[in-house]
């Protein structure tokens, strides 16, 4: 089942050793969130193709997935793994609901199985990203930790004794812990969720407020011509624009306050910060780490955990989904 | 090592089957919190003596523990278990810190071992209560769940695959998750912690505000002569006093909001509510349960976990500490 493949997109990571993948296996991993889908094809433990699509809510989720898979698969495939932002029942591969992803109760596994006729696993996006990070990324060597993804929203995965812990199905949805009573309306329908304070959209909202109040100011100037989104504001901050730096630090602190709470709850060995915005690194994670040191329950009587940026970058979810698929193909 | 014992205090629970306790073993369990210590002596799986002490912060914690143990032990003992409200390093039996308990870095295990010369285990109070509840109480038959204790503060224990999960040491300190920015000052030194909204002292504070504003009102009348504490306010509510009912329901809802967050984080099979105030039952837990149904992440697309009142009552911690001691005596 080996096919010759052309590498498309950018292969950021070179050789990724996928645990227990048998030779000559081609698997597809797709990570689908609120604003984009990322698909990888992995062949014998190596990324051989990678494809990003920008999504809006008008595309049905299943169509976006099929599009991403067809785009990246060039020949026969052995298995497909999918990570979706939101509540996923792994047992039957149903996407139940997520505030950023269109549709509810979508039987993704059976819909894809009917089309592709290979083993398919569907899981929460952060759970598959954690599989990748704890197998080949920043979490190697750790047995108990959290992956916290910061992007369109905040997602998460719990790793206990080396495995992802899902509770009954949906554990890790801490982006929707309420941190601000009567706060901003969240996409989930409640107010004051952590991700209304710490996310790409939260950062963009702050920047738009500044620009509206001061359209000729330095921030507006530095973003001239760019879309006002998390990444461009971080880029402005990293280029030294002071207002952007202050806004990024504000979001970093809001992120860090929530991390302190998670540390009080889990006392993990390590917290890995991933996701599109979290992966940018120290601009966000630095202020978060300082807040944790200042505010973690128990203060200087305890050693706070390592807080580390994900090492597989924004592709961690797609890589992890492919790894889950490879595990499935091996056993099934 | 069997001695004849007189049952003192009240033996609420009759025969408790302690798992793996060998015959003819006498163990002591002590649960020490911010306002009281409860000690039990268990002999062959049965509570043979029980002793409550009211504490204030002027008594050093180790003296309070020794007093409670000496009070309840009438003859030779095989092991001692201690549960303390706060951060405890089980590995060396050191109480590191807790906002409600005097002292920091107290080497409880070695101090008690020098005096009693028996095996001693020291753990967090909610962790030992969870051992009891999941072995012989409301959690029997469940493998994944949370115990949330509501009393002077909020404590907690995480049970995963039938065992208490401690993270690196201190997991379950969700009473100090910040739910209200700039909220009331907590005993931990931060503002707006969950337990500033939901606890015995939080309920008493609300009642004192009402009484101060309306000293001749119905609430003041119904509490005449009683101390204004959580238990008396719940008693007034259960007797039908409307203001007390409203205040108890308010605290119940604040408690339920935090439970919703914990359910988003853990997706547990069961949440057991214990502690001095939580154990009073439906007056508090009813409003909490309704808030969870209304506000849990995923709404009616998911089945919320069972939320159940602890069945061993306020003695769960002392019983669990004795059970941990029995386990230790058996293996050590």
């Amino acid at each position: 089942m080996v096919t010759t493949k052309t590498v498309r997109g950018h292969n950021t990571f070179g050789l990724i050793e996928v645990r227990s993948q048998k030779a000559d296996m081609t698997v597809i991993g797709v990570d689908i969130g609120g604003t984009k889908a990322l698909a990888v094809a992995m062949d014998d433990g190596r990324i051989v193709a990678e494809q990003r699509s920008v999504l809006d809510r008008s595309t049905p989720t299943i169509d976006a997935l099929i599009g991403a898979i067809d785009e990246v698969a060039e020949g026969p495939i052995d298995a497909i793994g999918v990570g979706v932002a939101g509540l996923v029942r792994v047992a039957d591969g149903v996407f139940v609901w997520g505030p950023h992803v269109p549709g509810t109760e979508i039987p993704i596994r059976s819909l894809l199985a009917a089309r592709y006729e290979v083993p398919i696993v569907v899981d929460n996006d952060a759970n598959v990203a954690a599989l990748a990070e704890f197998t080949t990324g920043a979490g190697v060597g750790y047995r108990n930790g959290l992956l916290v993804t910061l992007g369109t929203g905040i997602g998460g995965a719990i790793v206990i004794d080396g495995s992802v812990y899902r509770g009954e199905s949906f554990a890790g949805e801490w982006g929707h812990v309420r941190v601000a009573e009567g706060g901003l309306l969240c996409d989930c329908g409640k107010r004051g969720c952590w991700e209304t304070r710490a996310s790409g959209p939260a950062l963009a909202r702050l920047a738009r407020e500044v620009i509206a109040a001061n359209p000729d100011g330095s921030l507006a100037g530095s973003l001239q011509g760019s879309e006002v989104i998390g990444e461009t504001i971080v880029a402005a901050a990293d280029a030294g624009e002071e207002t952007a730096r202050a806004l990024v630090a504000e979001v970093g602190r809001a992120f860090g306050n929530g991390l302190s709470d998670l540390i009080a709850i889990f006392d993990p060995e390590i917290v890995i910060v991933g996701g599109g915005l979290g992966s940018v690194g120290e601009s966000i994670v630095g202020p978060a780490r300082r807040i944790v040191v200042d505010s973690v329950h128990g203060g200087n009587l305890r050693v706070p955990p390592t807080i580390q940026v994900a090492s597989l970058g924004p592709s961690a979810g797609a890589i992890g989904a492919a790894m889950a698929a490879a595990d499935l193909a091996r056993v099934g």
Side-chain angles (χ1 to χ4, degrees), chain A:
Chain A
M1 199 153 296
V2 177
T3 54
T4 308
K5 285 181 172 278
T6 310
V7 178
R8 290 168 302 165
H10 54 283
N11 176 343
T12 321
F13 307 111
L15 182 68
I16 304 283
E17 290 299 332
V18 175
R19 65 171 184 188
S20 69
Q21 179 165 347
K22 70 184 178 202
D24 300 343
M25 183 188 285
T26 301
V27 293
I28 305 290
V30 192
D31 178 10
I32 186 163
T35 54
K36 55 184 173 289
L38 177 65
V40 298
M42 293 183 75
D43 199 357
D44 199 14
R46 182 189 291 270
I47 297 176
V48 292
E50 186 167 341
Q51 181 68 38
R52 272 166 214 275
S53 334
V54 174
L55 303 177
D56 59 52
R57 292 188 66 97
S58 69
T59 310
T61 298
I62 195 72
D63 295 348
L65 279 169
I66 289 170
I69 293 165
D70 288 349
E71 199 50 52
V72 84
E74 290 200 325
I77 54 177
D78 292 279
I80 298 171
V82 176
V84 193
L87 307 186
V88 175
R89 271 200 316 268
V90 177
D92 58 3
V94 170
F95 170 71
V96 174
W97 171 74
H100 306 298
V101 171
T104 58
E105 298 281 6
I106 308 172
I108 290 176
R109 192 175 74 187
S110 56
L111 290 171
L112 294 182
R115 181 181 175 97
Y116 295 103
E117 298 181 331
V118 296
I120 290 166
V121 56
V122 185
D123 201 341
N124 169 268
D125 59 342
N127 287 348
V128 291
L131 176 62
E133 286 290 342
F134 281 81
T135 307
T136 71
V140 170
Y142 291 91
R143 304 285 299 167
N144 294 289
L146 306 177
L147 174 72
V148 186
T149 59
L150 180 65
T152 307
I154 294 177
I158 303 162
V159 172
I160 290 179
D161 200 21
S163 296
V164 171
Y165 179 76
R166 296 180 181 81
E168 290 300 280
S169 283
F170 307 138
E173 291 290 330
W174 43 62
H176 301 280
V177 165
R178 273 77 50 94
V179 302
E181 275 179 309
L184 289 167
L185 192 63
C186 181
D187 287 347
C188 79
K190 296 200 295 290
R191 286 188 180 275
C193 295
W194 185 21
E195 67 177 46
T196 66
R197 293 296 181 84
S199 60
L203 180 54
R205 180 178 44 72
L206 293 174
R208 282 195 303 268
E209 286 172 12
V210 169
I211 292 168
N214 192 2
D216 300 320
S218 163
L219 178 63
S222 74
L223 291 173
Q224 202 79 46
S226 309
E227 206 181 346
V228 181
I229 57 175
E231 286 78 353
T232 54
I233 302 158
V234 170
D238 288 348
E241 202 289 311
E242 282 303 320
T243 305
R245 284 187 58 182
L247 298 183
V248 169
E250 178 176 340
V251 168
R253 287 192 298 270
F255 185 59
N257 273 323
L259 291 184
S260 288
D261 291 340
L262 290 181
I263 291 164
I265 291 171
F266 286 99
D267 197 8
E269 276 183 278
I270 187 169
V271 177
I272 300 175
V273 178
L277 188 60
S279 298
V280 305
E282 289 303 311
S283 334
I284 287 278
V285 176
R289 197 183 280 120
R290 288 190 288 278
I291 280 279
V292 167
V293 169
D294 285 349
S295 74
V296 72
H297 184 64
N300 57 10
L301 293 169
R302 79 191 294 170
V303 180
T306 302
I307 299 177
Q308 203 160 311
V309 178
S311 66
L312 301 178
S315 304
I319 294 169
M323 292 168 69
D327 280 352
L328 185 65
R330 187 180 56 82
V331 300

